[in-house]
């Protein structure tokens, strides 16, 4: 007498469906997107991979960046991008399955759909960067997590430990969620499983530590760059994003060892250089800086770091990356998960502790899009607990609405948390220029100066390119370069004093345009601001003589 509801079997498997959608999107992205420019991190990884394939090892010193990733590239070669895109689809399926098993099918659909078409995920997984594989192994470790009763807890613990060891070897900050998962397992009184997890984790990391000891003679756990990266995010005046010190050269000195030797005047080892940076970083830490990094962690923009990891131009050029959900909304929903599922808090313990532990590394070091991205699958699982509850829980909906309004105010275009983009995109442009991609670097500087004409450092960097490698050979192109350099420097310097070098380049541009009196004024200003040891000082004096002064 009563109709029997029709069951749709496909809707009972969110992991399968969302994983398939993610796979189609990632294959589309792989076919339609050009191969990334091999600069900075990517160039270094490719160089190390080539040396490994040639039997020369990963280099003469301790690991400075990712210990495992060069071997990953050496293993898969030109197919690395495709392997990462496949792993990205696996990350989506795993996140949906974890959310389903712990919180139900609605949570599984939420987690899977949030990640499947998430534009930054496709972008980072398609780059030769650590972020994509790291997200996969962290999610895989949670899938094996022995924190809940189940068959073969020790075997699951060992599998989770192996996944966490691989994640930590990709980026040492993954040790934080590894310790968090170990703690969650112990809190659930799965002591044997926790022992298996810890054993597998230690044994997985040990070969990299032994290699550092054998090659460099120093007991460095994974990489020598910890102290330097701590300074990058915590020096006095640090903006909370990647902010390299003057004179830093990633291509030749990624861990800042040579820079530490020059600054300290001592012949420091890799471990001593890291300790030197760490000691300086501790002096710059403050509650206000940690608060700033906390707010930046929820930023809707994918804050670039170095190299071709800027998501905004990729999103502009590729329509399939324009998924309307940004990282902010996923993270805010994850933040409310303990309130949404407080009666099932034990099922959330492992993903919540892992997410909090990885998030703490952002506060400890610095915030960037690719550094934050491995947190997103964990956050999507937690968001799966929140989003389905919003229609039924008015207090939760009100809290989410307040947080959404607050985030829109904090990250408004004219607000204080939109200012970090110029420095980080400028760092990317300087990296491109360092690798010889002058046209791409100049276009980035032009877009920055269009938005902020007072960005004096960007104006100076663009002027260097225009008066150097982009000067051209025919009279018309030279005059156009001199004119553009003079215009961008004048706009920037009329809003502030700027560095002496900017006045020097302005004087050179004006002199070449025949504006001798104005050139002399700029060159005199440059000499007045000089400390006396700048490499351009003698050229400024000669230019001033040529201007008739």
């Amino acid at each position: 007498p009563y109709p029997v509801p029709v069951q749709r079997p496909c809707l009972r498997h969110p992991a399968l469906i969302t994983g398939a959608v993610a796979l189609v999107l990632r294959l589309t992205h792989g076919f339609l997107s050009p191969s990334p420019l091999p600069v900075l991190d990517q160039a270094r990884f490719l160089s190390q991979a080539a040396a490994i394939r040639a039997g020369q090892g990963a280099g003469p010193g301790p690991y400075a960046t990712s210990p495992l990733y060069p071997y990953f590239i050496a293993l898969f070669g030109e197919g690395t991008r495709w392997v990462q895109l496949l792993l990205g689809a696996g990350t989506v399926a795993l996140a949906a399955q974890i959310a389903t098993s712990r919180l139900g099918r609605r949570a599984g659909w939420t987690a899977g759909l949030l990640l499947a078409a998430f534009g930054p995920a496709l972008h980072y997984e398609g780059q030769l960067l650590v972020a994509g594989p790291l997200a996969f192994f962290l999610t895989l470790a949670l899938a094996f997590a022995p924190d809940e009763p189940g068959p073969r807890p020790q075997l699951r613990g060992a599998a989770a430990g192996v996944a966490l060891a691989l994640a930590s070897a990709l980026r040492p900050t993954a040790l934080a969620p590894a310790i968090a998962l170990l703690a969650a397992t112990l809190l659930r009184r799965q002591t044997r499983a926790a022992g298996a997890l810890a054993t597998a984790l230690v044994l997985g990391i040990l070969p990299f530590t032994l290699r550092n000891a054998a090659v460099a003679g120093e007991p460095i756990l994974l990489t020598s760059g910890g102290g330097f990266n701590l300074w990058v995010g915590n020096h006095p005046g640090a903006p909370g994003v990647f902010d390299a010190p003057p004179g830093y050269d990633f291509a030749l000195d990624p861990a800042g060892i040579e820079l530490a030797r020059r600054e300290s005047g001592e012949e420091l080892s890799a471990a001593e250089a890291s300790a030197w940076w760490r000691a300086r970083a501790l002096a710059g830490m403050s509650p206000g800086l940690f608060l700033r990094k906390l707010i930046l962690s929820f930023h809707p923009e994918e804050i670039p770091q170095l190299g071709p990891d800027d998501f905004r131009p990729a999103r502009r050029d590729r329509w399939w990356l324009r998924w309307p959900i940004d990282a902010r909304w996923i993270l805010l929903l994850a933040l409310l998960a303990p309130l949404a599922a407080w009666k099932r808090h034990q099922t959330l313990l492992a993903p919540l502790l892992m997410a909090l532990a990885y998030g703490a590394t952002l506060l400890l070091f610095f915030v960037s899009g690719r550094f934050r991205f491995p947190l997103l699958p964990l956050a999507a699982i937690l968001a799966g607990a929140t989003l389905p509850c919003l229609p039924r829980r008015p207090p939760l909906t009100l809290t989410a609405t307040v947080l959404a309004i607050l985030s829109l105010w904090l990250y408004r275009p004219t607000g204080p948390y939109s200012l970090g983009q110029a420095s980080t995109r400028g760092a990317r442009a300087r990296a491109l220029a360092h690798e010889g991609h002058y046209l791409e670097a100049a276009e980035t500087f032009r877009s920055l100066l269009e938005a902020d004409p007072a960005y004096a450092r960007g104006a100076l960097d663009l002027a260097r390119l225009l008066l150097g490698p982009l000067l051209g050979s025919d009279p018309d192109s030279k005059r156009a370069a001199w004119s553009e350099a003079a215009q961008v420097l004048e706009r920037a310097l009329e809003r502030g004093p700027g560095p002496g070098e900017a006045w020097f380049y302005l004087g050179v541009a004006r002199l070449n345009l025949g504006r001798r009196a104005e050139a002399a004024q700029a060159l005199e200003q440059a000499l007045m601001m000089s400390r006396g040891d700048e490499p351009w000082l003698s050229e400024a004096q000669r230019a001033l003589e040529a201007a008739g002064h």
Side-chain angles (χ1 to χ4, degrees):
Y2 295 101
V4 178
V6 177
Q7 298 289 333
R8 298 184 179 181
C10 67
L11 297 181
R12 300 175 62 185
H13 303 286
L16 180 64
I17 303 303
T18 58
V21 172
L23 179 61
V24 170
L25 288 171
R26 279 151 180 76
L27 292 177
T28 302
H29 178 71
F31 280 114
L32 298 183
S33 298
S35 297
L37 289 172
V39 298
L40 292 181
D41 296 70
Q42 304 194 52
R44 179 178 178 81
F45 291 143
L46 287 171
S47 175
Q48 287 181 303
I52 291 168
R53 285 196 298 268
Q56 300 170 1
Y63 296 109
T65 53
S66 172
L68 179 60
Y69 195 58
Y71 297 95
F72 184 83
I73 297 177
L75 177 63
F76 295 109
E78 295 182 358
T80 301
R81 266 182 88 228
W82 294 102
V83 172
Q84 291 185 175
L85 291 168
L86 293 175
L87 290 180
T91 303
V92 173
L94 284 171
Q97 180 57 38
I98 293 166
T100 302
S101 63
R102 289 174 179 262
L103 299 162
R105 282 199 295 272
R106 289 182 178 178
W109 279 111
T110 301
L113 290 175
L114 284 174
L115 284 176
F118 185 53
L122 278 73
H123 175 67
Y124 293 125
E125 290 159 6
Q127 303 281 331
L128 294 180
L129 295 170
V130 171
L134 177 57
F136 172 78
F137 284 116
L138 286 178
T139 313
L140 182 65
L142 183 57
F144 284 125
D147 65 308
E148 292 187 320
R152 300 180 179 179
Q154 290 174 267
L155 183 60
R156 287 160 46 213
V162 171
L164 289 169
L166 293 172
S168 301
L170 283 169
R171 182 181 289 155
T173 50
L175 287 170
I179 294 171
L181 183 56
L182 180 62
T185 306
L186 288 171
L187 287 172
R188 296 298 300 273
R189 299 183 180 180
Q190 299 281 343
T191 53
R192 291 185 179 181
L197 189 157
T199 302
L201 176 63
V202 171
L203 292 177
I205 291 173
L206 187 60
F208 300 98
T209 307
L210 293 176
R211 183 264 178 196
N212 284 335
V215 171
E218 294 185 273
I220 295 174
L221 183 64
L222 286 167
T223 69
S224 60
F228 174 76
N229 284 318
L230 193 67
W231 182 92
V232 165
N234 295 284
H235 60 272
V241 299
F242 190 90
D243 185 40
Y248 174 62
D249 187 339
F250 175 87
L252 300 177
D253 187 26
I257 297 172
E258 293 300 326
L259 185 57
R261 289 170 180 166
R262 290 199 304 271
E263 293 287 332
S264 67
E266 301 177 17
E267 190 59 31
L268 303 173
S269 67
E272 290 169 342
S274 182
W276 184 83
W277 286 112
R278 183 168 59 250
R280 297 180 69 200
L282 293 175
M285 291 183 177
S286 68
L289 178 57
F290 285 128
L291 177 61
R292 178 175 177 80
K293 286 191 278 189
L294 176 63
I295 296 173
L296 287 173
S297 298
F298 289 83
H299 205 289
E301 296 282 351
E302 294 297 315
I303 301 173
Q305 188 170 321
L306 281 177
D309 64 337
D310 194 346
F311 175 64
R312 283 187 291 183
R315 186 178 187 274
R316 182 189 63 230
D317 298 336
R318 295 157 203 161
W319 59 266
W320 59 90
L321 299 181
R322 297 171 194 164
W323 177 239
I325 302 297
D326 56 52
R328 160 186 49 185
W329 304 122
I330 298 176
L331 292 168
L332 287 177
L333 288 170
L335 191 66
L336 296 173
L339 297 177
W342 62 273
K343 290 183 179 180
R344 305 174 66 181
H345 62 276
Q346 291 196 357
T347 64
L348 288 180
L349 184 64
L352 183 60
L353 287 181
M354 288 181 70
L356 289 174
Y358 191 90
T361 66
L362 297 176
L363 306 187
L364 184 61
F365 291 96
F366 55 85
V367 182
S368 71
R370 62 162 131 148
F371 189 10
R372 178 181 65 177
F373 171 68
L375 172 62
L376 268 296
L378 302 174
I381 294 167
L382 295 170
T386 304
L387 193 59
C389 294
L390 291 179
R392 307 190 305 271
R393 303 272 293 277
L396 187 66
T397 304
L398 178 61
T399 305
T401 303
V402 170
L403 287 176
I405 294 172
L406 178 62
S407 76
L408 291 172
W409 179 79
L410 279 173
Y411 306 122
R412 65 194 188 278
T414 58
Y417 295 97
S418 64
L419 302 179
Q421 304 307 307
S423 62
T424 50
R425 292 183 67 201
R428 174 184 183 269
R430 283 186 287 277
L432 290 170
H434 179 82
E435 296 292 327
H437 302 286
Y438 304 120
L439 290 174
E440 295 91 336
E443 284 304 313
T444 303
F445 285 129
R446 288 185 181 111
S447 66
L448 286 171
L449 291 166
E450 183 178 351
D452 182 13
Y455 182 35
R457 187 174 181 184
L460 173 58
D461 287 323
L462 179 56
R464 285 196 189 106
L465 293 174
L466 292 169
L467 301 181
L470 297 181
L471 183 59
S473 55
D474 60 280
D476 290 339
S477 62
K478 286 184 176 180
R479 189 166 187 84
W482 294 330
S483 179
E484 184 181 358
Q487 288 174 7
V488 297
L489 288 169
E490 286 166 352
R491 283 199 299 267
L493 293 173
E494 71 183 9
R495 292 169 171 82
E501 189 176 4
W503 289 99
F504 161 65
Y505 277 101
L506 176 58
V508 171
R510 285 174 171 175
L511 183 61
N512 285 304
L513 290 169
R515 297 158 55 184
R516 292 178 176 271
E518 293 175 286
Q521 291 175 356
L523 292 166
E524 287 172 350
Q525 180 71 15
L527 292 171
M528 185 176 65
M529 299 178 67
S530 168
R531 298 189 311 270
D533 59 350
E534 289 89 346
W536 48 265
L537 185 59
S538 59
E539 293 184 35
Q541 291 169 338
R542 287 196 297 270
L544 186 59
E545 292 173 3
H549 287 255

